[in-house]
Amino acid sequence: SYLNSITTAATSTVICLLIGYPMAYGIARSPAAWRNLLLLLVILPIVLLGATVLTALAAFARSYREAQGYLPLLMFLPMIPSLVLMVAPVRTQLWMLAVPFLGQNQMIVRVLRAERISALDWGVSLGASFAMVAVVWWIAARLYHREQLATSS
């Protein structure tokens, strides 16, 4: 069962990477009319990360009320890079793309400005996001295998 979960996750990750890299190249070379649709696709790793974090939260929390207590913090986390960059804009550096929410923010800005985005930038941004998803997924899987979760009411 555990090996089956790891196989499924690895297969999903490979499929996402095979789809993601060509898509990133297409966004960088696309006409302005297509950018909004393609921009939506840039956001998908963060959506996946959010879903994985919520799954881990559901397994971690002891009650529905406790889980609700964590939600305001989880909603605020993706906003932090945007808020900071509104006050103090900076030029994108490679390390920024490795920070999941900050990297997506920088990539969105670059797509909207029609700036050229290198394959390395796309790789770092998507790779860091998918790596974070894998780590959080692993934590969620470990939490779901706890005995207390199976016996709680």
Side-chain angles (χ1 to χ4, degrees), residues 28 94 107 110 116-123:
L94 189 61
M107 293 298 278
R110 291 171 74 182
R116 189 172 191 289
I117 302 171
S118 72
L120 177 64
D121 291 350
W122 281 108

Side-chain angles (χ1 to χ4, degrees), residues 4-107:
N4 190 21
S5 296
I6 291 176
T7 304
T8 302
T11 304
S12 300
T13 301
V14 169
I15 290 170
C16 287
L17 290 175
L18 289 175
I19 293 169
Y21 283 109
M23 181 175 29
Y25 183 78
I27 290 173
R29 304 277 183 215
S30 68
W34 284 89
R35 284 210 182 99
N36 287 338
L37 176 63
L38 296 174
L39 189 60
L40 195 62
L41 298 176
V42 171
I43 300 170
L44 286 179
I46 292 300
V47 171
L48 183 60
L49 179 60
T52 308
V53 167
L54 289 176
T55 302
L57 175 63
F60 173 75
R62 292 181 187 90
S63 69
Y64 179 75
R65 177 173 242 127
E66 182 182 354
Q68 280 185 319
Y70 294 115
L71 287 179
L73 176 63
L74 290 178
M75 289 187 300
F76 185 66
L77 279 176
M79 291 186 250
I80 293 173
S82 298
L83 294 173
V84 170
L85 291 174
M86 282 192 302
V87 175
V90 294
R91 187 167 177 83
T92 303
Q93 297 176 10
L94 189 61
W95 70 267
M96 293 176 179
L97 301 175
V99 180
F101 295 119
L102 179 60
Q104 258 59 41
N105 184 290
Q106 293 294 333
M107 293 298 278

Side-chain angles (χ1 to χ4, degrees), residues 129-142:
S129 295
F130 286 127
M132 181 65 83
V133 167
V135 168
V136 175
W137 173 86
W138 182 81
I139 291 169
R142 300 293 296 170

